[in-house]
Amino acid sequence: DLRHLDLSFRYVGPKAARRLAEPKFASLARLDLRACGLTDPVLKSLATSDALRDLIQLDLAYNMLADGAEILADRAVLPRLA
């Protein structure tokens, strides 16, 4: 099973976010999305995905997020996130 995925410095838009939210990525524990051009709506779709609920590490550095911390502040969204 895929446990760690590093997509840093690659664009992750709405289409890619939908792909990452698919059940085949449910085994991910670590997801690196540094400098991927993420926006708040894309982050929200990722954070609320059932497939990514078991993430323990999510790197969002260097993205265009205004409300990213607010989205992730809800512990019910990604309960295992460190």
Side-chain angles (χ1 to χ4, degrees):
D1 289 342
L2 183 63
R3 304 287 297 149
H4 179 233
L5 182 60
D6 185 347
L7 295 174
S8 58
F9 302 97
R10 293 170 182 86
Y11 177 72
V12 176
K15 183 177 179 182
R18 283 192 298 275
R19 297 291 308 266
L20 286 170
E22 292 176 359
K24 66 182 173 184
F25 291 105
S27 62
L28 282 177
R30 291 175 171 77
L31 182 56
D32 188 341
L33 297 174
R34 285 176 293 142
C36 288
L38 291 181
T39 60
D40 289 318
V42 171
L43 175 59
K44 185 173 184 177
S45 71
L46 288 170
T48 57
S49 162
D50 286 338
L52 299 178
R53 286 189 54 81
D54 288 333
L55 282 180
I56 58 172
Q57 183 179 350
L58 177 61
D59 192 339
L60 300 170
Y62 309 110
N63 282 288
M64 301 176 285
L65 302 171
D67 299 321
E70 185 176 312
I71 294 166
L72 297 174
D74 182 355
R75 295 295 294 164
V77 173
L78 293 171
R80 297 187 65 208
L81 202 59

